[in-house]
Amino acid sequence: MKTTATSPKASDGLFHKDGVNYLLPFIMITTCFAMWGFANDVTNPMVQSFGKIFQISKFESSFVQVAFYLGYFAMAFPASLFIQRYSFKHGVLTGLALYAIGAFAFIPAKSTGVFWAFLPAYFVMTCGLSFLETSCNPFVYCMGSDATATRRLNLAQAFNPLGAITGAYIALTYVSTSLDPATSEQRLQLKQTAPLQFEAIKAHDLNVLVQPYLYIGVVVLVLLIAIYLTRMPSVGNTGEKKSLLTALRQLARERNYRNGVVAQFFYIGAQTVCWAYIIYYGMHVFHDMEGMDEQAAHAVTTNCYLFALALFAVGRFVCTYFMKYVKPGHLLFCLATAAIILLLGTIFVGGRVGLGCLVAVSGCMSLMFPTIYGIALNGLKENVKFGGAGLVMSILGGSVIPPIQAAVMDIGGEFAGISMINLSFLIPLFCFIVVAWYGRKAKL
């Protein structure tokens, strides 16, 4: 009797729980992590492309990120209510459907030729991503033993940067190289003196810009059908259906969870600007400071950006391995501290060294999202779905922080001999201080 009672626990592991093997469902759901990684990092470089195509300021073009991350915030709790009523699988399918609809909405947005028409398409797409993250993160969290939950989540998240690298590569190589070769200065002059020629260039560039979204829309539909036809386990269901208000009251009493939401907000803000504005920083170094022509400077900066994402991807796998030996909170604290030191180099050293420091920050960020997520969900039990939704809502940081930093960069010039582009990175530096504080306080 004793052996029978303990045998399910003996089988618990990374992909097993109570004698059930979750490997195939884990693989299928992990594919979704790559899908939203693609969406995030095909979009980040587009911020500069939108600015160039429409000849708008950094602050105005940052509204791409506002719309993108606002969808996460708006849909997280509705998604949690949905998956509580139905299942994680239904949440994933709904997320993929909205993702595809948002991607295909780029067609009518392009036909208007107006920048602001693209923002609803981004918003709908990220409503789908919010459904996906609200469903997939806790789904993976529950696909094995509680003891390996954070490590399993890090493993699934390790495939996120593979999609991110693919998206960034397409945005920075195919899209950027296929745009009309006219420089920003030439476009601005055409906008003022030859508006019809400017509109023709803009129409050509928008045709190029929307293509990655249309292709990924097709891929997402194929994945939706594949997951629909795959039998998925019923995990994380306690049978208890509680109201959102009740769950929020219970979550509000969990200090570890509250702090995790705050840390995740600032981390996502820091990640967004460190990636989106690496292009601006690189262009400042190579074009403004060293006098490279715009296309050559953009090519070198593109390589820096892709290397940063590759470093992020490798870091995910390395950190997942070390998490077997080092507590997640300790790793989080150490890497956040390293990111702070590197950003000091980005701000005060500047030049190529400062750019190298900014690239290296990506290696430090590799474990942060899933680790904060896993630490914050620890001990929530039946509130894991609502808790996951709150952590997805905190992705709003990616909508709030970029316009602040963009506004600082738009000031231009220098302060105390330091470029305002460099000084703007004080904002993500502060964000990493918050992350380091959470890692230092973590009990896991």
Side-chain angles (χ1 to χ4, degrees):
M1 292 295 290
K2 215 177 230 184
T3 305
T4 305
T6 58
S7 58
K9 289 184 180 179
S11 69
D12 285 359
L14 196 59
F15 306 116
H16 296 78
K17 189 172 184 179
D18 299 332
V20 180
N21 188 323
Y22 296 121
L23 182 57
L24 178 59
F26 174 84
I27 292 171
M28 294 295 292
I29 297 304
T30 296
T31 307
C32 296
F33 286 71
M35 289 296 100
W36 74 66
F38 180 95
N40 276 273
D41 284 277
V42 78
T43 299
N44 277 331
M46 295 296 190
V47 174
Q48 192 198 33
S49 294
F50 273 112
K52 184 176 182 180
I53 292 169
F54 289 98
Q55 283 301 294
I56 54 179
S57 70
K58 295 180 180 69
F59 178 75
E60 287 177 292
S61 58
S62 73
F63 275 83
V64 168
Q65 292 156 320
V66 172
F68 190 90
Y69 291 101
L70 194 60
Y72 278 105
F73 177 80
M75 199 53 65
F77 276 122
S80 68
L81 290 169
F82 180 88
I83 62 177
Q84 179 184 231
R85 180 170 180 179
Y86 297 102
S87 67
F88 284 128
K89 179 178 179 178
H90 282 90
V92 172
L93 295 176
T94 303
L96 291 171
L98 287 170
Y99 187 164
I101 292 168
F104 292 131
F106 276 75
I107 298 174
K110 178 196 71 173
S111 67
T112 68
V114 177
F115 168 67
W116 303 101
F118 288 88
L119 303 187
Y122 276 117
F123 178 78
V124 172
M125 186 168 70
T126 49
C127 283
L129 301 186
S130 184
F131 254 93
L132 284 178
E133 295 218 33
T134 303
S135 305
C136 293
N137 282 300
F139 203 1
V140 164
Y141 188 87
C142 296
M143 285 184 182
S145 72
D146 293 343
T148 59
T150 300
R151 186 154 60 96
R152 184 168 52 255
L153 192 55
N154 267 276
L155 178 59
Q157 286 278 356
F159 290 87
N160 174 272
L162 299 182
I165 291 171
T166 304
Y169 181 80
I170 289 172
L172 290 168
T173 55
Y174 168 71
V175 173
S176 292
T177 58
S178 300
L179 295 180
D180 190 280
T183 66
S184 295
E185 292 81 6
Q186 291 169 336
R187 288 166 186 262
L188 182 58
Q189 186 176 7
L190 288 173
K191 186 177 182 180
Q192 296 168 346
T193 60
L196 290 179
Q197 190 177 346
F198 173 79
E199 289 298 323
I201 292 174
K202 185 175 75 174
H204 167 270
D205 288 351
L206 289 179
N207 280 329
V208 173
L209 185 143
V210 302
Q211 287 183 30
Y213 294 99
L214 304 185
Y215 290 132
I216 196 60
V218 173
V219 173
V220 167
L221 284 179
V222 172
L223 180 59
L224 187 156
I225 294 168
I227 291 178
Y228 175 78
L229 296 174
T230 301
R231 185 176 179 180
M232 291 287 172
S234 178
V235 294
N237 294 320
T238 62
E240 179 186 0
K241 306 295 183 185
K242 62 173 66 179
S243 71
L244 177 60
L245 193 58
T246 299
L248 288 176
R249 280 199 297 261
Q250 292 174 349
L251 289 170
R253 292 195 289 267
E254 299 284 345
R255 178 181 295 179
N256 173 63
Y257 175 75
R258 293 198 312 267
N259 293 342
V261 170
V262 173
Q264 199 73 288
F265 174 92
F266 283 103
Y267 164 66
I268 293 296
Q271 182 201 72
T272 304
V273 295
C274 284
W275 283 349
Y277 298 150
I278 194 173
I279 303 294
Y280 289 126
Y281 192 96
M283 292 298 289
H284 172 67
V285 171
F286 296 116
H287 180 58
D288 300 340
M289 295 176 63
E290 299 187 5
M292 279 190 191
D293 67 75
E294 189 174 288
Q295 289 186 341
H298 192 276
V300 177
T301 305
T302 293
N303 290 333
C304 293
Y305 185 91
L306 292 173
F307 184 78
L309 293 182
L311 193 60
F312 182 83
V314 172
R316 274 272 167 91
F317 288 101
V318 171
C319 290
T320 300
Y321 173 78
F322 278 107
M323 206 165 281
K324 293 193 295 184
Y325 310 104
V326 184
K327 288 184 176 181
H330 289 171
L331 266 179
L332 184 63
F333 172 77
C334 291
L335 289 180
T337 302
I340 292 166
I341 295 169
L342 288 167
L343 282 175
L344 288 172
T346 297
I347 297 162
F348 296 109
V349 178
R352 294 194 179 205
V353 173
L355 180 60
C357 289
L358 183 56
V359 168
V361 169
S362 288
C364 301
M365 293 193 298
S366 58
L367 96 162
M368 290 185 183
F369 180 88
T371 302
I372 294 170
Y373 196 100
I375 293 171
L377 288 186
N378 186 50
L380 294 188
K381 297 179 181 178
E382 72 275 4
N383 283 326
V384 68
K385 291 177 183 177
F386 289 111
L391 287 162
V392 170
M393 283 186 74
S394 66
I395 291 175
L396 181 68
S399 183
V400 174
I401 303 299
I404 298 173
Q405 184 166 348
V408 174
M409 287 192 292
D410 276 336
I411 293 171
E414 296 182 349
F415 179 80
I418 302 173
S419 164
M420 292 305 295
I421 290 179
N422 289 34
L423 284 175
S424 72
F425 282 89
L426 285 169
I427 293 166
L429 185 148
F430 171 78
C431 295
F432 285 122
I433 290 173
V434 176
V435 175
W437 163 78
Y438 184 63
R440 183 72 178 82
K441 292 285 185 181
K443 295 181 180 178
L444 279 181

